[in-house]
Amino acid sequence: MQLGVFSVGDVTPDPTTGRTPTQHERIKALMAIGKKAEEVGFDVFALGEHHDHPFVPSALTTMHAYLAAQTERLVFSTSIAHITTNDPVHIAEQYAMLQHLSDGRVDLMFGRGNTGPVYPWFGKDIRDGIQLAIENYDLLHRLWRTDVVNWQGKFRTPLQGFTSTPRPLDGVPPFVWHGSIRSPEIAEQAAYYGNGFFHNNIFWPSSHVRRMVGFYRQRWEEYGHGPADTAVVGLGGQVFVRPNSQDAVREFRPYFDVAPVYGHGPSLEEYMRETPLTVGSPQQVIERTLSFREVVGDYQRQMFLLDHAGLPLTTVLEQMDLLGEHVLPVLREEFAKGRPAHVPDAPTHASLLARKEAEGLPERPAHESRAALTHDEDEEVSA
Amino acid sequence: MTRRIVVVSGGLSETSATRRLADALGEATLAALRERGVAAEVTTLDLRPRAHDITNAMLTGFAGTSLQGDLDAVLAADGVVAASPVYSGSYTGLFKGFVDLLGQAAFDGTPVLLAATAGTARHSLALEHAMRPLFSYLRALTVPTGVFAASEDWGGDGEAAGALASRVERAARELADLVAARDPKQVVDEFDAAPSFTQLLGDLRRG
């Protein structure tokens, strides 16, 4: 089980003091959280791409490269990176570069991400969201696996004899997760490629999360990647922890009550009942997080949102100390219990490289997608 | 197959006039369906106790478990009785909030009987200039007779009460005719309806 921290990098006033951090302070705080993640024993740190107010993480590879240079073990991911409004050629090169500089400590979670107004800033239209996600990832998949690419699609200029640079480290592309809250099409996409599926989980009742993950697992099996329980699943979750649960509730409530994402709506207690939000003691966090397995089965990656809604950096770092000492070791031990031997761990660069060497084959190619998106030989064949 | 009639009552007070009218329409619809040999059951949703859940769902983007069950009931309905009190010349904000959460496709082709209540008869056109356009936009199959009841319709005077009863009966017959004439509603599961990846790529190619 990989345990991680994910952040959207919102710049939000602290409701208890009224003070808003500067963008510079928030960016530096995110880097402090990333370094702390390794120090206290998390496996993964992920930043979510945003280009709109009030968020700061617009240049993920720069931020993750900064952290990669100052850490040894931590894996960097995205929560999420936009597969819709970024040029797949740009993604291929940026993240392959990050992969080299971090010695393979990078993977990606992709999503559509943006709100309507953001798409035009990058020359796109939100009504094309699903199609952009399909076409752009299909091209990215090829760019990382084929040295010389000839390609033509709907949304960007054609490529002729193009080679993205640098080539992936050891010829092994970064592992990719596809994230979606509610679109079956994206779960379908993840299953088709044999990629991971990430459900952000934090804003939704578990009945919905169960259906999305169940659909992905079923399609994974139908596409021939193995039994449904071998599919690669990640979940989000949000916690606020203090040694004593009453203290946690008392301290977090003013942040919850006016938080941009859920303030002025349901009470903290209602929200905890309906979603995975856990505000309480380390033991409560452990029990709640372990219960996610009952919803989606044995899964591979659990990410925690810790630093939003205006919580000050010192408070966030205290959370991380508590989680590192009291929660992470227990979660690792408990998630391992009863887990069938054939359920894989989350792929890493080392495991993907080992698989490649063992099989002597490239990763599962997407023949159909390649055929459908090129105007090469098969225009009539599959029409 | 038993048809499902859902009665949505947007009354804001306990034991409201809107609920009384909604109940009468639900019962009359059941009776009219029975006459046509169609088995049916009625579910009544009072919006007042759901007010907080409706607001929460607007703010958080998802409906809590209990409210989601109510929304699902409407989505699966073969026929709907939609009743609201008239406030400021139109349905209440609470009523519209509930309708908004249902989404644009909820009433597509669904027979809907419109009803409203108010303190005076001067509000009676709210049915035609507010309720009916809303449900036309949602592509509902609204029955021709809308039922409006003002305070005087509930009065002891036998003539007025009798007039309301006959309007209720006529509207219920119209709803029953539409429900009986249609196949039972099939709710499409979004996961079953999801396109395969090959289709997704194929669409791109045609685009």
Side-chain angles (χ1 to χ4, degrees):
Chain A
M1 171 60 87
Q2 287 181 336
L3 300 168
V5 175
F6 70 147
S7 173
V8 290
D10 57 314
V11 180
T12 303
D14 181 334
T16 64
T17 62
R19 187 177 180 280
T20 307
T22 65
Q23 288 194 331
H24 181 73
E25 285 169 341
R26 190 70 173 102
I27 290 165
K28 290 293 192 177
L30 289 168
M31 298 299 97
I33 292 165
K35 281 188 269 188
K36 186 79 170 182
E38 171 156 298
E39 185 191 317
V40 303
F42 282 99
D43 306 297
V44 187
F45 181 66
L47 288 168
E49 178 180 350
H50 283 85
H51 301 275
D52 47 346
H53 179 80
F55 304 97
V56 291
S58 58
L60 299 189
T61 54
T62 306
M63 299 172 86
H64 283 147
Y66 173 91
L67 285 171
Q70 301 179 60
T71 52
E72 299 289 332
R73 190 185 52 74
L74 198 62
V75 170
F76 298 99
S77 191
T78 56
S79 62
I80 43 74
H82 298 164
I83 190 63
T84 45
T85 47
N86 285 307
D87 180 2
V89 171
H90 202 62
I91 296 174
E93 299 197 331
Q94 295 276 314
Y95 285 90
M97 183 66 81
L98 179 61
Q99 192 194 25
H100 279 275
L101 292 173
S102 64
D103 298 306
R105 291 187 287 136
V106 60
D107 60 45
L108 282 131
M109 298 195 278
F110 280 127
R112 280 174 291 153
N114 284 323
T115 52
V118 178
Y119 278 72
W121 300 342
F122 298 92
K124 306 296 185 215
D125 184 331
I126 195 171
R127 291 169 295 183
D128 298 325
I130 293 275
Q131 292 201 329
L132 283 162
I134 301 294
E135 176 171 305
N136 284 351
Y137 180 70
D138 189 77
L139 174 55
L140 175 64
H141 187 87
R142 299 189 62 199
L143 290 169
W144 275 341
R145 289 163 177 81
T146 309
D147 285 341
V148 181
V149 171
N150 294 308
W151 179 91
Q152 189 171 338
K154 181 177 174 183
F155 294 110
R156 62 150 289 142
T157 48
L159 296 170
Q160 287 169 14
F162 175 72
T163 301
S164 74
T165 303
R167 304 305 300 142
L169 178 66
D170 303 322
V172 176
F175 185 71
V176 164
W177 308 70
H178 299 272
S180 178
I181 292 176
R182 60 163 301 117
S183 301
E185 292 93 337
I186 301 303
E188 170 80 13
Q189 180 186 33
Y192 175 81
Y193 289 100
N195 289 345
F197 178 70
F198 183 80
H199 197 292
N200 143 309
N201 194 36
I202 65 179
F203 301 134
W204 287 78
S206 61
S207 56
H208 177 77
V209 179
R210 185 197 311 271
R211 293 218 59 193
M212 283 291 284
V213 174
F215 178 73
Y216 159 69
R217 287 187 183 281
Q218 172 204 330
R219 296 297 287 157
W220 166 281
E221 182 165 318
E222 286 166 13
Y223 278 119
H225 299 299
D229 63 358
T230 61
V232 184
V233 173
L235 291 184
Q238 49 187 333
V239 301
F240 187 88
V241 61
R242 287 296 183 204
N244 178 309
S245 62
Q246 286 90 341
D247 293 338
V249 169
R250 191 182 315 115
E251 189 176 343
F252 188 64
R253 192 184 299 281
Y255 293 91
F256 176 88
D257 283 348
V258 300
V261 286
Y262 35 49
H264 313 290
S267 69
L268 177 60
E269 285 72 14
E270 286 173 310
Y271 206 88
M272 287 205 282
R273 198 166 56 236
E274 292 283 347
T275 77
L277 171 63
T278 310
V279 181
S281 66
Q283 188 56 35
Q284 286 172 310
V285 173
I286 289 166
E287 284 167 17
R288 191 73 191 277
T289 308
L290 289 172
S291 78
F292 297 167
R293 178 160 62 169
E294 291 156 28
V295 176
V296 301
D298 284 294
Y299 64 109
Q300 284 81 1
R301 173 176 282 185
Q302 173 64 50
M303 303 294 282
F304 292 105
L305 177 66
L306 302 170
D307 72 326
H308 62 145
L311 289 165
L313 177 62
T314 49
T315 306
V316 176
L317 298 179
E318 286 163 17
Q319 308 288 302
M320 296 177 77
D321 278 327
L322 282 166
L323 292 170
E325 187 177 348
H326 301 291
V327 174
L328 301 190
V330 183
L331 285 182
R332 285 208 179 83
E333 195 183 321
E334 292 296 320
F335 272 123
K337 283 183 189 164
R339 179 185 168 112
H342 70 276
V343 173
D345 291 325
T348 60
H349 184 74
S351 75
L352 293 172
L353 181 59
R355 188 167 89 185
K356 182 188 170 200
E357 286 170 349
E359 294 175 359
L361 292 168
E363 283 182 274
R364 194 180 303 276
H367 296 295
E368 288 175 63
S369 64
R370 211 163 287 180
L373 280 178
T374 48
H375 291 183
D376 294 341
E377 65 291 345
D378 58 327
E379 183 76 29
E380 282 72 39
V381 178
S382 58
Chain B
M1 191 174 163
T2 304
R3 307 301 171 89
R4 287 167 290 205
I5 306 298
V6 173
V7 176
V8 178
S9 169
L12 290 176
S13 56
E14 295 281 0
T15 63
S16 69
T18 303
R19 175 63 195 260
R20 283 175 63 190
L21 180 59
D23 282 346
L25 288 165
E27 282 160 27
T29 303
L30 270 192
L33 282 166
R34 234 186 344 261
E35 280 172 22
R36 289 156 181 74
V38 177
E41 59 186 30
V42 168
T43 305
T44 302
L45 304 178
D46 253 327
L47 297 189
R48 178 188 155 90
R50 294 162 169 85
H52 282 272
D53 286 345
I54 290 169
T55 305
N56 288 346
M58 286 190 212
L59 295 178
T60 60
F62 67 85
T65 310
S66 152
L67 180 61
Q68 188 59 51
D70 299 333
L71 298 173
D72 290 343
V74 177
L75 294 171
D78 294 294
V80 173
V81 175
S84 174
V86 176
Y87 279 38
S88 305
S90 179
Y91 38 75
T92 63
L94 182 63
F95 181 86
K96 180 61 160 53
F98 184 73
V99 170
D100 287 347
L101 293 177
L102 283 163
Q104 261 183 303
F107 294 99
D108 204 341
T110 303
V112 176
L113 193 172
L114 305 174
T117 61
T120 86
R122 283 177 294 134
H123 295 298
S124 61
L125 278 176
L127 269 183
E128 302 307 328
H129 67 61
M131 290 279 269
R132 202 176 293 278
L134 171 64
F135 283 90
S136 296
Y137 170 77
L138 295 168
R139 288 200 283 266
L141 209 54
T142 55
V143 303
T145 301
V147 181
F148 177 85
S151 300
E152 61 225 50
D153 291 302
W154 305 105
D157 180 328
E159 194 183 333
L164 176 60
S166 75
R167 292 206 299 280
V168 165
E169 213 171 290
R170 184 171 66 227
R173 276 200 310 272
E174 291 170 4
L175 181 61
D177 281 340
L178 288 173
V179 170
R182 303 166 68 79
D183 291 332
K185 187 159 185 177
Q186 303 286 331
V187 178
V188 179
D189 183 294
E190 64 172 327
F191 290 93
D192 293 341
S196 75
F197 196 77
T198 318
Q199 281 172 278
L200 289 169
L201 277 171
D203 288 346
L204 264 177
R205 192 182 190 195
R206 278 191 296 276

